[in-house]
Amino acid sequence: MQYFMNHLDIPLALSWMWALLVSLFAVPSIIYIAHLKNMLDTPNGRTVHQSLTPRLGGVAVFAGFMSALTIFAPLQNGVKELLAGCIILFFVGLKDDLVGMSVSKKFVGQLLATGIVMIMADVRLTSFQGILGIDTLPVGISYAFTFFVIVGITNAINLIDGLDGLAGTIVLIICSTFGYYFYSYGGAGFGNYAYVAICLIGGLLGFLRYNFHRAPIFMGDTGSLVCGFIVSVLAIQFIEMGLRVGQPFSASAPSVAVGILFVPLFDTLRVFSLRMAAGKSPFSPDKNHIHHRILAMGFQQISTVLLLAMLNILVTLFVIRFAHLGNTILIAALASFSVLLSIFFGVYQSRLSRRQLQAAQASGQ
């Protein structure tokens, strides 16, 4: 394994630098063309930004990621099929950013991309590793659950893309964590996924140079769908690495992966639950995401992004430190923390609403 790792170093560094430079130099041209052709996102009732802004930052991320990966990375073990899925979702996101697309059509694109990696590359979750007393999954259930995981994580990253720099920063943290463990423990079976992580990191860093508040460009669905899809495959392969290689967390890999993905998963489950409890579609847009609630507390955009990034890092460190406790205890701890966090946001929101109502009544008198 040490021989494999030592020979990864130079190509990994080159792939990171290539992705970074391509993305870094592509963004200004994309901003210029978007303004020239009036391809701009108009502010509305559920957006935070207040000016016309291009949504095509994902084009730069995709260009850096794709070119670096195809030049420097070994494309076996499902990486080639991952690239094919990314291409499909890139064009789905591009159409949505330019002219709009229905949820059903976006779902078809995700179905195709997921089918490619599941069926053609056999990238899937094969075991619950003792969760709920379940180990090896029947093939049909394995495919169905993997599809649910990929689509769920893809949309979780897509949904959290609501503030300048937020989605990019969270994906950066997630990919850095997964990439480190693929590099350290992946070996011949999973080691090339370190390239997937590092190429996406490079592309995101080049883009984030222009994406923090006040951002002249947004990631858009072009970037968030591709990033979410890549993160979902990294998570699945991370869990499977724990099962097959026995490293770094063995049977605790599923709960560790959930912890690494905490912020986007928590946000998605929370808003879906609230929408369905209110009798609405889980996909109906609103301003009830975790970043909206933190903004309502009086935080600025940059401090909100940093707060959520720190939350994700702390939960990641927690699950890594206590991985030896096993899946049941870790998932119970994460679920309990999620409930407490949801209660906190709910109580604060209720108090804020009462204060606003009292202020409105006072001004009316």
Side-chain angles (χ1 to χ4, degrees):
M1 184 180 77
Q2 191 63 41
Y3 174 85
F4 181 78
M5 287 173 58
N6 289 340
H7 285 73
L8 269 175
D9 294 344
I10 294 176
L12 264 179
L14 289 174
S15 62
W16 174 81
M17 188 175 298
W18 181 284
L20 171 67
L21 292 176
V22 169
S23 177
L24 192 65
F25 287 107
V27 172
S29 297
I30 294 169
I31 294 173
Y32 173 76
I33 293 170
H35 281 280
L36 187 68
K37 301 296 183 181
N38 198 32
M39 297 183 291
L40 306 172
D41 184 49
T42 304
N44 55 52
R46 58 185 177 85
T47 58
V48 177
H49 69 286
Q50 298 176 344
S51 59
L52 296 171
T53 309
R55 295 184 62 203
L56 299 173
V59 174
V61 177
F62 179 79
F65 168 78
M66 180 66 72
S67 58
L69 200 63
T70 51
I71 292 170
F72 296 103
L75 300 181
Q76 69 270 18
N77 303 330
V79 174
K80 180 174 64 175
E81 289 79 8
L82 170 66
L83 289 176
C86 287
I87 292 171
I88 291 172
L89 290 179
F90 170 78
F91 285 106
V92 169
L94 185 62
K95 182 179 179 183
D96 188 47
D97 287 335
L98 292 176
V99 297
M101 180 181 284
S102 66
V103 173
S104 59
K105 290 181 179 178
K106 288 167 70 174
F107 179 76
V108 170
Q110 293 177 33
L111 176 64
L112 290 173
T114 304
I116 289 172
V117 296
M118 280 200 312
I119 297 169
M120 298 184 68
D122 201 33
V123 172
R124 57 189 175 91
L125 292 165
T126 59
S127 172
F128 272 10
Q129 302 189 38
I131 299 175
L132 302 176
I134 302 171
D135 288 302
T136 303
L137 295 171
V139 175
I141 295 176
S142 172
Y143 279 117
F145 185 68
T146 301
F147 173 76
F148 172 78
V149 168
I150 293 177
V151 172
I153 294 175
T154 300
N155 285 286
I157 300 297
N158 179 240
L159 289 171
I160 206 171
D161 184 27
L163 291 184
D164 296 344
L166 179 57
T169 301
I170 296 297
V171 172
L172 198 67
I173 294 167
I174 293 169
C175 285
S176 298
T177 308
F178 284 143
Y180 168 77
Y181 287 110
F182 283 125
Y183 175 79
S184 300
Y185 303 99
F190 297 93
N192 60 330
Y193 280 91
Y195 279 96
V196 175
I198 204 71
C199 289
L200 186 56
I201 289 169
L204 284 169
L205 284 173
F207 164 69
L208 284 171
R209 158 68 178 79
Y210 300 93
N211 188 232
F212 280 102
H213 190 65
R214 301 178 177 261
I217 190 168
F218 300 148
M219 180 183 288
D221 280 13
T222 311
S224 60
L225 287 177
V226 170
C227 287
F229 181 68
I230 294 167
V231 165
S232 69
V233 174
L234 290 176
I236 289 169
Q237 294 296 70
F238 174 82
I239 293 169
E240 286 298 298
M241 182 172 70
L243 179 67
R244 300 179 195 178
V245 179
Q247 294 290 344
F249 303 108
S250 189
S252 296
S255 55
V256 173
V258 171
I260 294 170
L261 294 163
F262 179 77
V263 166
L265 293 183
F266 166 72
D267 180 62
T268 301
L269 290 172
R270 178 180 169 275
V271 295
F272 276 22
S273 299
L274 290 173
R275 289 169 185 172
M276 289 188 291
K280 300 177 182 177
S281 164
F283 298 99
S284 59
D286 55 32
K287 296 188 72 171
N288 207 24
H289 288 276
I290 183 172
H291 50 270
H292 292 132
R293 300 276 58 83
I294 295 175
L295 285 174
M297 294 178 182
F299 287 90
Q300 300 299 312
Q301 282 207 40
I302 292 178
S303 54
T304 299
V305 171
L306 293 177
L307 192 63
L308 288 173
M310 186 59 65
L311 174 62
N312 210 91
I313 291 171
L314 289 175
V315 174
T316 298
L317 292 175
F318 172 80
V319 292
I320 290 172
R321 172 63 180 82
F322 294 102
H324 64 278
L325 296 176
N327 287 314
T328 302
I329 294 177
L330 282 180
I331 290 176
L334 291 173
S336 300
F337 180 59
S338 299
V339 170
L340 290 174
L341 206 55
S342 296
I343 292 172
F344 169 76
F345 284 123
V347 170
Y348 188 90
Q349 184 179 1
S350 298
R351 290 180 178 177
L352 183 64
S353 299
R354 285 199 299 270
R355 288 173 188 169
Q356 290 173 342
L357 181 61
Q358 290 170 357
Q361 290 173 344
S363 62
Q365 293 174 352

